[in-house]
Amino acid sequence: MAENPTKTRVSEDFPRLADPFRRELLAHCYRMLGSVHDAEDLVQETYLRAWRAYDRFEGRSSMRTWLHRIATNTCLDALESRSRRPLPTGLGAPSSDPSDELVEQGEVPWLEPVPDALVGADGADPAAVVTSRESIRLAFVAALQHLPARQRAVLLLRDVLKWRAAEVAELLETSTASVNSALQRARAQLKQIAPAEDTVTEPGHGERRELLERYVAAFEVKDVAEIVRLLSQEVVWEMPPFTGWYQGPAAVGELIGTRCPGGPGEMRLIPAGANGQPAFGLYMRAEDGTYQPFHLQVLTLAQGGVAHVAAFFDTRLFATFGLPESLPADRG
């Protein structure tokens, strides 16, 4: 029996042409959903839909554009039944007193960080970087979650992927005027929610390295005074799934000093890259002397020091980031 030439073309051509876009599609789905795990599922769904439709792909647009069309529609379908993913600062409550009891809400679908390596922003091969760090910064992705799904899609397609308004209108089956109006509203809302990227000036490479080395050293000996010295005056600390957030070096220092269960020598920090920002997996010493996952910190740096820390207590993220399951008791 003769082999179906269409099926042969799909099985041979599709993986070769589509696979190079996997990481940027993951970045797009992550921005839309705010969850690396949901994004991975939706990228799989995107490729399944694309594979099924590939024999009807006529090449009127590029493979990249075609796949992003499918991914965007897949995300919009998923968002019909899902609520937004906030950080504690996005819940609308004022900053907390570090002496107050911690309130945990595990049922909230919290925003998740994304590993740089999964979205092609790790810089391992500069020629292969497919995602700009600015487009996946934690503050930007958190702000996106406040937008309605279609506004979110319009802003990402226009401002991040640089699509023309007419292309977005065709995808969303609406008018160019509606797309332009949605974009204006989305930009205005983002300005209210999060500061513009150009207001954050990061330290230079040498300063950055020294700041991070001092930060790790201070944590591992639990030198709270030194940690406080490394924080900016407007620092914010938050730690989902706990609903409170804390502002100012004194409040953060008190929180670490009184609420962090580890003592000097009982914590280890292993570097990771998340959202184009420095990150660390923090391990806590257990009774048997080994160090077990405790939380994943994502840091925002500014000229004045560490300006923001999001400490994610979902230890499943350690596997997502390729961090060790544990550290041996005799480390160091």
Side-chain angles (χ1 to χ4, degrees), residues 113-125:
V114 67
D116 289 347
L118 285 185
V119 293
D122 52 357
D125 179 3

Side-chain angles (χ1 to χ4, degrees), residues 5-300:
T6 300
K7 288 185 177 180
T8 300
R9 184 172 73 92
V10 169
S11 62
E12 293 181 354
D13 290 356
F14 180 75
R16 174 176 58 84
L17 296 173
D19 281 353
F21 303 103
R22 186 173 292 273
R23 288 193 295 179
E24 62 179 283
L25 289 170
L26 180 61
H28 182 58
C29 293
Y30 169 69
R31 295 184 201 100
M32 286 288 293
L33 275 295
S35 162
V36 61
H37 298 110
D38 287 355
E40 288 178 319
D41 290 343
L42 292 180
V43 168
Q44 288 300 106
E45 175 65 20
T46 294
Y47 274 88
L48 180 60
R49 292 186 185 187
W51 182 80
R52 288 172 174 168
Y54 184 61
D55 60 326
R56 300 190 298 277
F57 175 56
E58 299 176 352
R60 289 184 295 176
S61 64
S62 67
M63 172 65 73
R64 178 176 182 266
T65 297
W66 184 63
L67 288 172
H68 274 285
R69 285 177 181 271
I70 297 172
T72 301
N73 279 321
T74 303
C75 290
L76 289 173
D77 290 345
L79 286 168
E80 289 180 359
S81 59
R82 305 185 197 194
S83 56
R84 71 181 182 91
R85 287 181 171 269
L87 285 174
T89 47
L91 296 178
S95 59
S96 304
D97 188 317
S99 64
D100 293 341
E101 288 298 319
L102 298 177
V103 177
E104 182 177 354
Q105 288 194 4
E107 70 279 4
V108 173
W110 296 101
L111 183 72
E112 296 174 352
V114 67
D116 289 347
L118 285 185
V119 293
D122 52 357
D125 179 3
V129 172
V130 296
T131 302
S132 71
R133 288 176 170 84
E134 291 75 15
S135 72
I136 57 165
R137 289 183 71 86
L138 199 62
F140 178 64
V141 178
L144 286 174
Q145 306 310 303
H146 291 267
L147 301 178
R150 285 173 68 87
Q151 276 190 28
R152 203 179 304 175
V154 167
L155 185 132
L156 291 174
L157 291 169
R158 292 283 284 120
D159 284 357
V160 176
L161 297 180
K162 306 302 181 184
W163 283 27
R164 300 190 309 273
E167 292 178 302
V168 180
E170 181 183 357
L171 169 61
L172 298 179
E173 298 181 344
T174 187
S175 67
T176 301
S178 295
V179 167
N180 290 333
S181 176
L183 180 61
Q184 288 181 349
R185 294 196 302 274
R187 286 172 174 170
Q189 190 164 349
L190 281 191
K191 284 185 177 180
Q192 293 179 348
I193 297 167
E197 286 293 330
D198 56 11
T199 64
V200 178
T201 304
E202 291 194 352
H205 181 72
E207 279 185 280
R208 171 190 171 102
R209 184 177 65 249
E210 180 185 0
L211 175 60
L212 293 176
E213 288 175 352
R214 291 175 60 192
Y215 184 86
V216 169
F219 250 98
E220 293 194 338
V221 298
K222 201 175 183 180
D223 184 345
V224 177
E226 172 67 358
I227 294 172
V228 168
R229 280 192 289 270
L230 299 175
L231 304 177
S232 75
Q233 288 303 305
E234 299 300 322
V235 66
V236 169
W237 180 287
E238 52 190 331
M239 45 188 192
F242 300 100
T243 59
W245 61 278
Y246 309 86
Q247 186 164 31
V252 173
E254 182 180 344
L255 179 77
I256 295 171
T258 60
R259 298 293 183 177
C260 180
E266 295 183 339
M267 291 179 280
R268 295 287 183 266
L269 274 68
I270 301 297
N275 295 79
Q277 302 169 228
F280 298 96
L282 189 149
Y283 294 76
M284 193 74 68
R285 189 162 67 187
E287 290 184 0
D288 64 359
T290 63
Y291 292 86
Q292 300 299 321
F294 187 64
H295 67 223
L296 180 80
Q297 294 186 14
V298 181
L299 279 60
T300 301

